[in-house]
Amino acid sequence: MRNTDRTAAGTGDRGAPGAPEAARVAAGLGGLLGPLRRAVLRATRNAEGLPDLPEAQIELLRALSSSPEGLSPGAAAARVRVAPSTVSNLVRAMSAARLVERVRPEHDQRTVVLTASQEALHLLERYDRASTAALTRVVEELSDTDRAALHQALPALDRLVTALETGDGTRPESISPRSGREDPVGRDPEHRL
């Protein structure tokens, strides 16, 4: 049993027996989300022999791929919620790897717009395909009870993402709310690997 299992059940260090249920659930989620995301990313990379891109680069590529017209460096920083200097460093490395293109719009040659290269878009498609395949393989191996529990949890997890994104006041306005979607884990590219 993982520590998060004991915590969620109220028997671990973080979830003392008298702690409110919300705190126990939060502690359990907090303990699982990082390892889950890393495990999915590792399985995805291994399945397709994909390059070991840092998660920050993948997030920036997701933001750029969802804006075909491109984003200014400042808008990209706001979208992925990092400092502009971080975007500059990411773009420098990603431009050298031919993943990001810097384009000067015809209407204003003084500015730069960042776009994902065709190579990057192809790479993201491969990540998505491999991620879906890896998750499908593992979910199929789970018990019917576990699969049903995961399926039932999806709308609540979707609402949790929305609450976290809107609760801190930093959610980019160009991203539409996630709640109310028919498929809560649908194919929203910004919330996948």
Side-chain angles (χ1 to χ4, degrees):
M1 180 187 279
R2 295 177 63 97
N3 286 340
T4 52
D5 292 338
R6 288 189 298 276
T7 300
T11 59
D13 292 339
R14 287 184 258 161
E21 181 181 6
R24 289 192 303 269
V25 171
L29 277 171
L32 281 173
L33 292 178
L36 174 64
R37 186 160 178 86
R38 286 188 298 276
V40 170
L41 192 53
R42 190 172 36 256
T44 298
R45 288 174 178 151
N46 292 341
E48 280 279 318
L50 291 161
D52 188 14
L53 292 179
E55 197 166 332
Q57 288 188 11
I58 294 172
E59 286 184 41
L60 181 56
L61 289 176
R62 292 264 176 241
L64 295 176
S65 70
S66 70
S67 299
E69 70 284 353
L71 293 171
S72 70
R79 180 76 62 95
V80 296
R81 296 187 181 114
V82 297
S85 60
T86 301
V87 167
S88 294
N89 291 333
L90 289 170
V91 168
R92 188 174 15 267
M94 295 168 75
S95 293
R98 297 188 324 252
L99 298 174
V100 171
E101 297 172 352
R102 298 175 190 169
V103 180
R104 295 204 180 275
E106 288 184 27
H107 67 280
D108 186 356
Q109 292 289 301
R110 297 171 295 160
T111 63
V112 172
V113 173
L114 305 173
T115 60
S117 70
Q118 286 302 311
E119 184 176 337
L121 295 174
H122 176 70
L123 194 60
L124 287 175
E125 287 174 16
R126 288 180 58 206
Y127 267 95
D128 289 346
R129 231 181 2 260
S131 173
T132 299
L135 283 168
T136 299
R137 214 173 22 257
V138 172
V139 170
E140 285 175 343
E141 294 174 4
L142 295 175
S143 69
D144 290 344
T145 303
D146 283 349
R147 275 196 307 276
L150 286 173
H151 181 73
Q152 289 176 340
L154 294 177
L157 291 171
D158 188 54
R159 290 188 298 273
L160 180 62
V161 169
T162 299
L164 288 168
E165 287 178 339
T166 59
D168 65 3
T170 61
R171 180 187 176 106
E173 293 183 28
S174 61
I175 300 174
S176 61
R178 294 167 48 88
S179 60
R181 278 201 329 238
E182 190 172 321
D183 180 6
V185 294
R187 306 303 157 227
D188 181 358
E190 286 198 283
H191 294 90
R192 301 215 39 223
L193 281 180

